[in-house]
Amino acid sequence: MSTHPSLIARYGKDEAPALARLNPFVEQLLSHRSVRAYLGTPVSDDALATIIAAAQSAASSSNLNLWSVVAVRDPARRGRLSELVGNQAHVREAPLQLVWLADLARLRQIARTLERPSEGLDYTEMFVTAVIDAALAAQNAAAAAESIGLGTVYIGGMRNQPEAVAELLGLPPETFAVFGMCVGHPDPAHPAAVKPRPPQHVVLHHERYSNDAQQTGLDAYDRNMADFYAEQQMNVRGTWRLHSAKRVSGAESLSGRDRLVEALHALGFKLK
Amino acid sequence: MSTHPSLIARYGKDEAPALARLNPFVEQLLSHRSVRAYLGTPVSDDALATIIAAAQSAASSSNLNLWSVVAVRDPARRGRLSELVGNQAHVREAPLQLVWLADLARLRQIARTLERPSEGLDYTEMFVTAVIDAALAAQNAAAAAESIGLGTVYIGGMRNQPEAVAELLGLPPETFAVFGMCVGHPDPAHPAAVKPRPPQHVVLHHERYSNDAQQTGLDAYDRNMADFYAEQQMNVRGTWRLHSAKRVSGAESLSGRDRLVEALHALGFKLK
């Protein structure tokens, strides 16, 4: 049995699971790559409606639909967003920025209009639920966008300065921009690569969590990522493990996100 | 132009966006339904490897891979999990339960081994990042599972008693079961339905957040959901809006999740 090429791209040939066949749907998911170079061609209204229909087809906890998304096409606003997320050029250049919101405001207002109590929304649980709802919707959106030939990349930098993002997008209290997402036609002059992931046994545990199983997998992953950094001519010093550890060395490595709790309080979340 | 039937199932005929065509990939995403009745047939190792490959192909923030998943097949452990999530029979009956973890433990240990500081992991930002990573991975997994003929349903009840879940699954400090997911072959005797969602203009905003646009959409959604409750013979009193408001009326409506912050601290998250 020969291993499917998409699995080799994702895991390297030594660590790819030995599956010969993937259906076209799974193959499409496996082909995901983060695109950071876009053509100027706009994303059509039809494409956007398709992407949103996919997003809304993801599960939502108790069907509460605790998320919203702001579609930003205006070049000036994209430019301002680009500054707020740490001067990422692709946020300015991609014709469409989708800003995914954890949204407790809608249900708060529904309860108010019905003159019903809604103290449940004051709890961290409901914030977490809204973040999850937004993430599930966004992942369906990203997959759908890729399936119609568009490229995407998530923009976690939307959490660098949450209050400024909220002001720019006119967000009401108890909404929060969880992340952004560039959407556009990939520039063929700058093709993106499939990024290797750790071997399955690093993330997949059977019956109970196993730490031991992870260590050999991480050795293999460091080797695969070293090859990837070289191929992509990425200027990464040291192993994936070292690079990742540096990313979380302290408050100063979080690009302002060490004050997330303070920002969420300022945005009206009670986080009880 | 006639509207695609999958869009009518998702939005009702009055609110479906007027797209005549969807590609097979998007059609598959739109066909999602939460399955709560399963046959006993096991999920094969090949199917699981396919699902995990899809999960790992989702984006991961800074490629930190801050998630893990525990595959539970043992009937006794599934039974215990079923009790912990509020006696949901399908958690006992589905042959595979995937418990998705926000996992800061792996990177904490990597940093320790490298004798590097990792105080960045003490911040709420990194907990939120791990929750997002887990959710993106899980949504790809759910979509992949459905594409190979399996059914799924998310189990938010995994957050009812986080410490007991952690003990049962042997979770190390700084890991957290964000949600579970039943996976199995749907029982054809109890087919699941596509659940309607609010009209697109309820969740989709252009350039800036708009509250006004949402209200007429919510009226339409209450009507669609009333039809759905009747068709499905669901015992729901009042509108979707009323039902949803009741779900967040106060701490007592959160099934124990009002103590999420306390539980996370007990599990070793610092949440600075």
Side-chain angles (χ1 to χ4, degrees), chain B residues 151-217:
Chain B
T152 67
V153 62
Y154 282 90
I155 306 294
M158 217 55 82
R159 301 194 296 279
N160 292 3
Q161 300 183 59
E163 298 99 322
V165 169
E167 195 183 340
L168 184 68
L169 303 182
L171 304 187
E174 297 187 286
T175 58
F176 167 61
V178 183
F179 44 70
M181 182 187 286
C182 296
V183 184
H185 298 268
D187 181 351
H190 300 278
V194 168
K195 189 171 276 180
R197 296 287 192 226
Q200 292 205 344
H201 62 92
V202 171
V203 299
L204 173 61
H205 309 259
H206 295 280
E207 301 302 331
R208 288 172 61 87
Y209 191 98
S210 163
N211 187 42
D212 300 342
Q214 299 186 38
Q215 299 311 313
T216 54

Side-chain angles (χ1 to χ4, degrees), chain A residues 10 28-35 51 139-154 183, chain B residues 23 25 57 140:
Chain A
R10 187 59 74 191
Q28 173 66 40
L29 289 179
L30 260 74
S31 72
H32 163 73
R33 53 205 81 192
S34 293
V35 171
I51 289 166
Q139 184 52 26
N140 260 19
E146 292 176 358
S147 83
I148 57 176
L150 298 167
T152 67
V153 62
Y154 283 88
V183 184
Chain B
N23 70 29
F25 184 92
S57 298
N140 260 18

Side-chain angles (χ1 to χ4, degrees), chain A residues 51-52 54-70 98-104 106 125-143 154-155 158-159 171 174-181 269, chain B residues 128-129 131-140 154 159 178-179 197 203 205 209:
Chain A
I51 289 166
I52 298 303
Q56 290 192 270
S57 297
S60 161
S61 182
S62 300
N63 192 31
L64 296 180
N65 299 283
L66 295 176
W67 63 275
S68 282
V69 60
V70 184
L98 294 177
V99 184
W100 298 88
L101 310 179
D103 185 347
L104 301 183
R106 186 189 302 122
E125 158 65 15
M126 296 311 300
F127 169 73
V128 169
T129 301
V131 167
I132 295 168
D133 262 20
L136 302 185
Q139 184 52 26
N140 260 19
Y154 283 88
I155 305 296
M158 217 54 82
R159 301 193 297 278
L171 304 188
E174 297 185 286
T175 59
F176 166 62
V178 183
F179 44 70
M181 181 186 287
F269 291 92
Chain B
V128 169
T129 301
V131 166
I132 295 167
D133 263 18
L136 301 185
Q139 184 53 25
N140 260 18
Y154 282 90
R159 301 194 296 279
V178 183
F179 44 70
R197 296 287 192 226
V203 299
H205 309 259
Y209 191 98

